[in-house]
């Protein structure tokens, strides 16, 4: 099983999501949203953005 997205309400009653690894470690979390639909849109956007996303190592100086 891959990681999972969890939708939950924070202390102020707003909706949020977090992405958890199989180990239970939180890998990412989203900002608070007033509706569950907004959170689901955020999850969908993250899934699309991460699919095929490149990795950029900012600790390596570019070759000139």
């Amino acid at each position: 099983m891959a990681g999972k997205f969890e939708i939950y309400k924070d202390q102020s009653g707003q909706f949020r999501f977090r992405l958890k690894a199989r180990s239970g470690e939180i890998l990412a979390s989203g900002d608070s949203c007033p509706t569950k639909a907004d959170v689901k849109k955020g999850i969908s956007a993250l899934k699309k953005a991460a699919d095929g996303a490149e990795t950029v190592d900012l600790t390596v100086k570019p070759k000139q």
Side-chain angles (χ1 to χ4, degrees), residues 9-16 32:
K9 280 190 173 183
D10 62 19
Q11 290 182 342
S12 66
Q14 296 282 304
F15 291 94
R16 291 180 176 264
S32 62

Side-chain angles (χ1 to χ4, degrees), residues 33-51:
C33 297
T35 69
K36 192 183 292 187
D38 290 336
V39 169
K40 288 181 177 183
K41 287 178 190 174
I43 291 170
S44 292
L46 181 60
K47 286 180 178 181
K48 286 179 187 176
D51 184 31

